[in-house]
Amino acid sequence: MDTDRDTARDTVRDAVPGGEKRTRREQAYLKIRRMALQGEFPFWQRLPEESIAERLGVSRTPVREAFARLDADGILSRYDDGGYYVAEPNLVDLRDLYELRLTLEVRGIVRAKEDGVEHDIEALEALREEWLEIKGASHRADGSFIERDESFHVGLLRASGNLVLTETLEAVNIRIRPVRMHDFLDAERIEISIDEHLEILDAVIAGEIDEAAVLLKRHIGISLDVVEDRAARAMTQMMRLRRRR
C-alpha cells in the first residue's frame, strides 16, 4: 500500500510556466540534473538516493529513474554495483567540437551565396514564427532549454538543403550536450539566445548572408565562453565538496 501511495504521489501533475504540466518524476529528473550541473555533488562520490528523495519530497523510485536518465544523458556515470556519481565534464575536446559545429553551421549559411543554391525560405519563416512564440513564453532555467536550442540550429541548417551537414551536426550535438546544458541555467541567457536566434533568422530570410554568418559566429562563440566558464566553476565546486567530506 505504501508503494501505491508513493506512485500516486510521484505521478501528480503540477503546472509550470508556459502552460505545460510535468509529473513529479519529470520534475525530480530536472531538479537533480540542475543540481549536478551546478556542482552540488562532489566528484566520484556515490549520490545519496534516500536523502535526495527526501529533499525533493518524492519517493526513491523517481530518483532512481532520474539517475538512469542522467546516466544516458552523460551527466552521471554508474558504478558496477549500480550506484551513480557525477561524471566529470569533458572540457578537453569541447573547443574542437565547437569548432566543428561552427564550421558546419556557417557552411550551411553561406551555401546560399553559390549559384543555384537557395535556403528554404518557407521553412525559415515557419521557424521564425515558432521562435516568436517561444520568445513570448516563460522558460525554466534547468537545462531543459537545450532541446529547443538544438532544434533551432538543426532546423536552420536543414533549411540550407544539405542533409549530410545536418546529420553531422546532430551527431556533434549529442557529444557536447552534457556540457552545453550549462549554457541554460539562468533566464537571462535563455532570453539572450532567443533574441540572437531571431536576429540570425531575420538576416538569412532577408538575404543578408554575410551578416547572418557573422551573427551566427558570435552567437556560437558566446555560448562556448559561457559553457566553459560555468562548467569549470561547477567542477571547482565539486572538488571543494569532495575535500570537505
Side-chain angles (χ1 to χ4, degrees):
M1 296 297 293
D2 289 342
T3 301
D4 291 340
R5 283 197 296 270
D6 286 342
T7 300
R9 180 182 64 184
D10 296 335
T11 55
V12 170
R13 292 183 176 272
D14 294 334
V16 296
E20 301 175 25
K21 291 182 181 293
R22 290 197 176 113
T23 66
R24 290 186 181 173
R25 293 176 183 229
E26 180 71 8
Q27 290 175 339
Y29 162 72
L30 293 172
K31 288 176 181 177
I32 295 170
R33 181 170 75 182
R34 182 178 177 86
M35 291 161 67
L37 290 172
Q38 290 185 321
E40 292 192 28
F41 305 119
F43 278 137
W44 301 107
Q45 292 192 17
R46 182 186 298 269
L47 294 180
E49 182 180 292
E50 186 171 354
S51 64
I52 291 175
E54 290 177 359
R55 178 175 174 180
L56 300 183
V58 297
S59 72
R60 295 171 70 172
T61 299
V63 174
R64 293 192 198 102
E65 292 174 353
F67 286 175
R69 288 178 66 182
L70 291 167
D71 180 26
D73 291 341
I75 294 173
L76 300 185
S77 291
R78 187 174 183 272
Y79 288 112
D80 291 339
D81 65 1
Y84 291 90
Y85 61 93
V86 177
E88 185 171 349
N90 182 0
L91 300 183
V92 176
D93 295 336
L94 186 64
R95 280 196 169 267
D96 290 344
L97 289 167
Y98 256 81
E99 182 179 352
L100 176 55
R101 176 191 172 197
L102 183 62
T103 301
L104 295 168
E105 294 199 48
V106 171
R107 175 57 188 156
I109 294 287
V110 301
R111 287 186 78 239
K113 297 177 68 173
E114 299 175 2
D115 290 339
V117 178
E118 296 180 355
H119 287 291
D120 185 339
I121 299 300
E122 185 176 335
L124 291 174
E125 289 177 342
L127 189 60
R128 185 177 185 277
E129 288 300 313
E130 177 187 343
W131 278 84
L132 285 172
E133 291 182 10
I134 291 172
K135 180 178 174 61
S138 298
H139 304 284
R140 295 169 67 93
D142 54 19
S144 57
F145 193 76
I146 185 72
E147 295 158 6
R148 280 181 166 167
D149 183 81
E150 288 180 355
S151 74
F152 168 81
H153 289 277
V154 168
L156 179 64
L157 186 53
R158 184 179 293 116
S160 75
N162 189 321
L163 296 183
V164 176
L165 287 178
T166 307
E167 290 171 357
T168 307
L169 177 62
E170 289 175 322
V172 172
N173 283 341
I174 291 171
R175 293 185 62 182
I176 63 177
R177 185 178 300 147
V179 185
R180 277 205 66 223
M181 286 182 188
H182 288 273
D183 198 6
F184 302 115
L185 295 180
D186 70 67
E188 183 180 9
R189 270 298 300 157
I190 292 174
E191 291 171 5
I192 289 171
S193 293
I194 293 171
D195 287 339
E196 290 175 350
H197 288 176
L198 289 168
E199 280 186 308
I200 294 166
L201 281 171
D202 286 344
V204 177
I205 291 171
E208 298 170 355
I209 302 305
D210 290 335
E211 175 66 11
V214 169
L215 291 171
L216 181 63
K217 289 177 183 177
R218 185 177 68 189
H219 172 67
I220 293 176
I222 292 172
S223 174
L224 174 58
D225 291 342
V226 171
V227 166
E228 285 189 318
D229 178 64
R230 291 183 176 173
R233 278 189 281 156
M235 291 173 67
T236 300
Q237 173 67 9
M238 292 177 197
M239 295 303 294
R240 287 174 180 165
L241 287 172
R242 185 181 181 186
R243 287 196 293 268
R244 289 176 191 167
R245 300 187 178 187

